[in-house]
Amino acid sequence: MKLEVPTHVGIIMDGNGRYAKSLGKPRSYGHKAGADNLKKLCKHILKRGIKCLSLYAFSTDNFKRPKEEVDYLMKLFVTMFTNNFDFLKKEEVKVLFSGRKEGLPEDVIAACEKIEKQTQNKQKYTLNICLNYGSQEEITDTFKKIIKQIQNGQIDIEDVDKNLISKNLYQDLPPLDFVIRTSGEKRLSNFMLWQSSYAEFYFPKCYFPEFDEAEFDKALDVYRERKRRFGGLNKN
Ligand code: FPP
């Protein structure tokens, strides 16, 4: 029996730089092409009935890139969150951001907070944007949060189980069913390690700006053919 569409999809949007290079253009061209693609792709993913989408937009380690590229990306995020995601507001999408605020420019934080506020009461879909995000950092922050709750007497050490840990991550989201990383690289690179414990993985060769609606549908077909056992045995 084929699987239903995944509830929670994660996309590691990789290959913008190589896409630009393949066309003899600067890396910024690739990021802009990635952003343009993302807008179309989000609309398509909504149409496919995926309830929750997590995007790896900028990792904590991406700050190691040249200042010029980091500055370009930060400006692009502000433009995207301020103007280009307007369609989300009409579509019952709650926008959330995962990651540390420290280190992000003020205007990026303001743009994130604005769209989070504008969409906070939306219920049907969730778009979780991982920005200045690292999964090991998230797990570290969650440890600290839980330890404080124990120290304050809000919970006992015996209350700590995987459910409680999941609920104390940056966002309380369903587990990832399907993780896609474009550009042929086969790594998680510190993306939602806890949440992807039982996820299926897919590594298309195309660069993110080329990962269009048809490529996404191909990915969904691959997912639906997978046999998920969660450590048990197949029923059929
Ligand atoms: C990885 O490709 C991509 C990024 C670090 C940036 C992702 C950003 C976008 C797709 C822009 C829009 C995003 C949002 C959420 C508004 P890379 O630069 O590492 O590519 P390379 O490995 O080929 O160098």
Side-chain angles (χ1 to χ4, degrees):
M1 217 173 62
K2 279 194 177 183
L3 293 171
E4 300 296 320
V5 290
T7 301
H8 189 179
V9 174
I11 306 183
I12 303 174
M13 305 180 289
D14 197 12
N16 291 348
R18 276 164 287 161
Y19 172 76
K21 197 174 172 200
S22 74
L23 299 174
K25 307 265 189 196
R27 292 181 59 81
S28 56
Y29 179 91
H31 292 313
K32 173 73 173 62
D36 291 343
N37 183 47
L38 181 61
K39 194 175 162 186
K40 284 189 279 172
L41 202 56
C42 281
K43 287 185 184 167
H44 182 71
I45 291 173
L46 279 173
K47 263 200 252 157
R48 288 285 173 264
I50 312 283
K51 294 271 182 237
C52 186
L53 174 66
S54 286
L55 299 170
Y56 207 4
F58 194 88
S59 78
T60 45
D61 291 322
N62 287 150
F63 274 114
K64 294 176 191 156
R65 294 186 178 201
K67 185 177 178 316
E68 192 191 349
E69 181 170 345
V70 172
D71 288 350
Y72 181 86
L73 276 168
M74 293 299 151
K75 278 204 188 85
L76 189 59
F77 294 143
V78 173
T79 311
M80 285 291 282
F81 306 148
T82 311
N83 306 317
N84 292 18
F85 275 2
D86 268 356
F87 71 95
L88 293 172
K89 295 176 203 158
K90 294 181 216 123
E91 295 275 5
E92 282 305 307
V93 183
K94 182 189 288 201
V95 181
L96 301 171
F97 290 89
S98 293
R100 290 181 175 165
K101 282 188 181 163
E102 309 89 80
L104 288 173
E106 285 297 319
D107 57 347
V108 174
I109 296 174
C112 294
E113 287 179 348
K114 192 168 173 200
I115 192 163
E116 260 183 337
K117 202 160 169 227
Q118 285 169 330
T119 63
Q120 65 186 349
N121 296 320
K122 308 286 183 175
Q123 305 225 323
K124 201 162 170 197
Y125 304 101
T126 305
L127 176 64
N128 172 43
I129 301 173
C130 297
L131 197 66
N132 194 16
Y133 175 85
S135 187
Q136 291 176 333
E137 285 76 3
E138 176 177 31
I139 293 168
T140 307
D141 292 345
T142 302
F143 254 77
K144 289 183 181 166
K145 216 160 117 186
I146 293 175
I147 291 167
K148 268 195 200 130
Q149 291 168 20
I150 298 172
Q151 285 174 335
N152 294 341
Q154 287 167 270
I155 56 166
D156 286 334
I157 208 158
E158 287 73 27
D159 296 328
V160 180
D161 59 11
K162 54 186 183 182
N163 245 341
L164 184 108
I165 295 171
S166 296
K167 294 215 168 306
N168 280 280
L169 294 169
Y170 290 148
Q171 310 296 349
D172 182 12
L173 299 174
L176 277 162
D177 298 299
F178 194 33
V179 175
I180 301 167
R181 179 175 188 146
T182 55
S183 90
E185 302 289 348
K186 297 180 184 69
R187 290 187 291 274
L188 267 180
S189 301
N190 212 9
F191 176 68
M192 300 184 87
L193 307 176
W194 177 277
Q195 298 88 334
S196 61
S197 296
Y198 280 98
E200 296 293 323
F201 292 89
Y202 178 64
F203 302 105
K205 285 218 167 64
C206 62
Y207 300 131
F208 182 69
E210 302 165 321
F211 187 70
D212 59 10
E213 293 95 327
E215 286 289 340
F216 185 80
D217 285 348
K218 229 197 278 176
L220 272 190
D221 284 343
V222 171
Y223 173 82
R224 297 182 72 235
E225 291 297 337
R226 297 272 173 93
K227 302 273 177 276
R228 302 189 76 193
R229 290 186 289 276
F230 300 95
L233 299 176
N234 267 347
K235 287 201 186 91
N236 44 1

